[in-house]
């Protein structure tokens, strides 16, 4: 804030004394420092910071005056989305090293639940007039915030659909479903309940798992039948069978 105060003072001084070359050089140096400060503030938005720090950063960005209000909203979502994506990439790298799709889907779901809720909460706290006309006109889907959330949740469902076929056990599928349902209910407090979209990928995976199990059972049963040896009837039993057949005047048939 002191740096911004000094920058404002140098510009006022230049406006009063425009004929002094030294002041022009001073203002140029101040502009360069402000540009560096802008990059630092945007980088801070891309880190794991809480709401008070976000409020401070946005306040400084507003004082810099480099963005309109709509541009500032978009820049905030862009920076926080970069932080979320970095967390997802880190989780993906850890899952790739362990080659465990179940762990990856569980961790990915937890990240979406916690970080998306935090981003939406921060956005609403900073831009209190998110239902303003300007916000509604920014996107046909209901504004910048919900346009961003829609894209993120669409990507989450795509990752879920791609990862579910790698789960081979029913208890793992049930566990991921529980986490996804909880995530949808949690985000539903901010109007982002997506639980209705979970049925198709999970139904498809459970049906595939059931079909694979039935096919394996059928193959095992066929193999057992082919491997079974048909032994001839013992002579004593065969003679008794023939005597019984003759006594009834024909061949014996099962009931």
């Amino acid at each position: 804030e002191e740096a911004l105060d000094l920058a404002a003072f140098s510009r006022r001084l230049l406006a009063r004394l425009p004929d002094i070359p030294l002041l022009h050089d001073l203002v140029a140096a101040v502009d360069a420092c402000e540009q560096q400060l802008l990059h630092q503030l945007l980088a801070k938005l891309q880190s794991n910071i809480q709401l008070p720090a976000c409020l401070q950063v946005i306040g400084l960005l507003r004082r810099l005056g480099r963005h309109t209000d709509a541009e500032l909203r978009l820049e905030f979502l862009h920076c926080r989305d970069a932080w979320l994506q970095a967390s997802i990439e880190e989780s993906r790298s850890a899952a790739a090293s362990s080659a465990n799709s179940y762990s990856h889907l569980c961790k990915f779901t937890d990240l979406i639940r916690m970080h998306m809720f935090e981003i939406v909460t921060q956005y609403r706290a900073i831009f209190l007039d998110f239902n303003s006309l300007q916000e509604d006109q920014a996107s046909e889907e209901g504004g910048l915030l919900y346009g961003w959330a829609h894209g993120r949740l669409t990507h989450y469902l795509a990752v879920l659909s791609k990862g579910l076929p790698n789960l081979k056990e029913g208890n793992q599928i049930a566990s991921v479903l529980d986490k996804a349902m909880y995530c949808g209910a949690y985000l539903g407090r901010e109007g982002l309940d997506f639980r209705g979209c979970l049925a198709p990928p999970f139904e498809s995976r459970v049906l595939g798992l059931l079909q694979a199990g039935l096919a394996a059972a059928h193959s095992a049963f066929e193999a057992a039948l082919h491997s079974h040896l048909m032994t001839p009837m013992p002579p004593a039993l065969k003679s008794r069978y023939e005597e019984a057949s003759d006594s009834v005047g024909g061949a014996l048939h099962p009931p």
Side-chain angles (χ1 to χ4, degrees):
E1 292 184 359
E2 292 179 359
L4 294 178
D5 291 337
L6 290 174
F9 174 75
S10 65
R11 292 191 178 91
R12 289 196 301 269
L13 193 61
L14 179 63
R16 294 178 182 177
L17 304 170
D19 299 329
I20 302 178
L22 182 60
L23 291 180
H24 288 274
D25 296 338
L26 176 62
V27 171
V30 167
D31 290 339
C33 291
E34 279 191 346
Q35 188 64 31
Q36 184 179 4
L37 177 62
L38 175 63
H39 290 309
Q40 292 175 352
L41 291 174
L42 294 179
K44 192 170 185 179
L45 280 179
Q46 297 179 25
S47 62
N48 186 16
I49 58 175
Q50 302 302 315
L51 178 58
C54 285
L55 288 169
Q56 184 181 19
V57 170
I58 294 299
L60 293 174
L61 289 174
R62 282 172 171 161
R63 287 196 60 185
L64 281 173
R66 302 293 181 91
H67 302 86
T68 64
D69 187 67
E71 292 173 345
L72 196 57
R73 295 167 187 254
L74 185 61
E75 194 68 48
F76 176 82
L77 289 177
H78 174 75
C79 292
R80 301 308 287 156
D81 185 76
W83 165 64
L84 172 58
Q85 185 62 33
S87 301
I88 292 173
E89 292 297 334
E90 183 180 355
S91 171
R92 184 178 301 169
S93 300
S97 62
S98 63
N100 192 333
S101 297
Y102 170 70
S103 298
H104 169 59
L105 289 178
C106 290
K107 182 63 175 177
F108 183 56
T109 302
D110 289 338
L111 288 175
I112 289 294
R113 173 178 57 84
M114 294 184 297
H115 291 349
M116 280 195 65
F117 184 84
E118 184 175 0
I119 292 172
V120 172
T121 303
Q122 291 172 348
Y123 183 93
R124 288 185 168 179
I126 295 170
F127 306 104
L128 297 178
D129 58 339
F130 72 97
N131 280 326
S132 64
L133 180 61
Q134 183 181 12
E135 172 75 2
D136 292 336
Q137 290 177 346
S139 172
E140 294 179 357
E141 289 77 19
L144 290 173
L145 178 62
Y146 285 101
W148 168 80
H150 179 268
R152 265 297 163 194
L153 291 177
T154 300
H155 176 258
Y156 168 72
L157 292 173
V159 172
L160 199 63
S161 299
K162 185 178 179 180
L164 281 175
N166 297 325
L167 303 184
K168 307 301 182 182
E169 299 181 8
N171 60 341
Q172 292 182 343
I173 298 175
S175 178
V176 174
L177 177 60
D178 288 340
K179 282 185 173 292
M181 292 293 286
Y182 178 62
C183 178
Y186 196 82
L187 293 178
R189 293 187 288 179
E190 295 292 345
L192 303 176
D193 191 348
F194 61 92
R195 287 176 292 178
C197 301
L198 293 174
F202 279 96
E203 284 182 354
S204 176
R205 181 59 192 128
V206 171
L207 180 60
L209 194 63
L210 176 62
Q211 291 174 342
L214 291 176
H218 183 266
S219 299
F221 180 69
E222 289 288 341
L225 287 179
H226 288 303
S227 64
H228 183 69
L229 296 178
M230 301 298 293
T231 58
M233 184 181 296
L237 182 61
K238 183 177 180 180
S239 61
R240 292 179 59 187
Y241 176 81
E242 291 175 349
E243 292 175 359
S245 177
D246 293 338
S247 65
V248 297
L252 294 178
H253 298 279

